[in-house]
Amino acid sequence: MRRTLLAAAALVLGACSAIDLRTPEPAITRYLLDAAVHVPVSDAVGSGVLLVEMPTARPGFDTPRIAYSRKPLAIDYYTRSEWADTPARQLQPLLVRALEASAAWRAVTAAPSPVLADQRLGVDILELVQDFTVTPSVVRLRLRLTLSEVASRRALVTRTLATVEPADSEDAYGSIEASKRALSRLLSGLVADVMSDAPTAGARR
C-alpha cells in the first residue's frame, strides 16, 4: 500500500512540475511600411534605365525596431511592436514603384540587377523616430538622395529631404501611421526633385 501511495504521489508531483505557471509574454506585432505616393508624370517618354540601390540607414535606424526619443541624442525602441523588416529594405520597392509611375525612364529596376543602367539612385535614411520631446509627439523623417550617372559616376542630384508628421497617438501605432504619411510626402517630393533637377534623366538611350 505504501509503495502504491508513493508512486501516486510521484505521478502527481511530476504532472505539477510539467505545468508552466508563468504568465506568457505578449506576442510582438509586426507592421509593414507603406506609402501612398502621388507623383508627376513625365511629358517626355523616358528611354534610359534607372537602378535603385538598396537604401541604407544610419546606426540606430538600421533595425526593424521602431525608434522613439524622449531626450535629444537618445533613442529607445518599442518592445512589443516592430517593422516587418528594416525600413531601408522596405523602402526599395516603394521607390521603384513611385519612380516607375513617373514614366521618366524606360525601365526602373532594383539592385542587384544584371540590367545595364544609365542612372543610379541611392537613398539613405538619416532619421525615422517618434519624438516625445514635444507634446503631442511627432515623427521625424529625413532622407538623403543621390542620383548619379553610371558611366561617368558624376552626381546629378544630391539632396536631403525632411518632414515632421504629428503622431496619431502616443504609442507605437501612432508612430507607424505617422511614419507612413511622412514617407508618402517625402517620396512624392523625392520623385519630383529627381525629375526636375535631372531633366536628361533617362534620355541617354
Side-chain angles (χ1 to χ4, degrees):
M1 177 66 72
R2 189 188 327 183
R3 284 198 294 270
T4 302
L5 291 175
L6 289 174
L11 287 173
V12 171
L13 291 174
C16 291
S17 63
I19 299 175
D20 189 353
L21 299 179
R22 295 174 298 177
T23 302
E25 294 185 356
I28 295 176
T29 304
R30 293 177 172 85
Y31 296 89
L32 295 172
L33 180 61
D34 200 0
V37 184
H38 304 285
V39 301
V41 179
S42 175
D43 295 330
V45 178
S47 57
V49 177
L50 174 66
L51 178 70
V52 179
E53 297 280 7
M54 175 61 70
T56 58
R58 291 181 60 185
F61 306 112
D62 55 349
T63 171
R65 304 179 73 185
I66 300 172
Y68 67 88
S69 177
R70 294 193 181 277
K71 57 184 178 181
L73 303 180
I75 58 174
D76 292 295
Y77 304 97
Y78 286 104
T79 58
R80 299 301 170 200
S81 298
E82 290 185 353
W83 296 113
D85 201 345
T86 65
R89 292 186 64 86
Q90 294 191 79
L91 179 56
Q92 189 186 37
L94 300 179
L95 286 166
V96 171
R97 185 176 69 192
L99 291 161
E100 280 180 333
S102 73
W105 289 268
R106 175 171 59 84
V108 178
T109 184
S113 171
V115 177
L116 294 177
D118 298 290
Q119 283 89 34
R120 183 189 304 268
L121 178 67
V123 176
D124 186 23
I125 299 176
L126 303 178
E127 184 179 37
L128 177 56
V129 63
Q130 185 176 14
D131 184 2
F132 284 103
T133 65
V134 296
T135 304
S137 65
V138 298
V139 166
R140 301 187 184 277
L141 174 62
R142 282 191 299 135
L143 303 177
R144 182 173 57 215
L145 70 96
T146 303
L147 178 71
S148 59
E149 192 175 55
V150 172
S152 66
R153 298 185 181 180
R154 179 172 62 93
L156 302 174
V157 181
T158 300
R159 181 161 299 174
T160 298
L161 305 175
T163 189
V164 176
E165 184 71 28
D168 295 47
S169 54
E170 307 301 284
D171 55 13
Y173 191 73
S175 175
I176 289 159
E177 291 301 306
S179 296
K180 293 178 180 179
R181 293 196 302 272
L183 184 58
S184 297
R185 182 177 297 113
L186 283 200
L187 285 188
S188 300
L190 183 152
V191 175
D193 283 352
V194 169
M195 291 176 63
S196 63
D197 290 354
T200 59
R204 294 184 59 224
R205 289 189 179 185

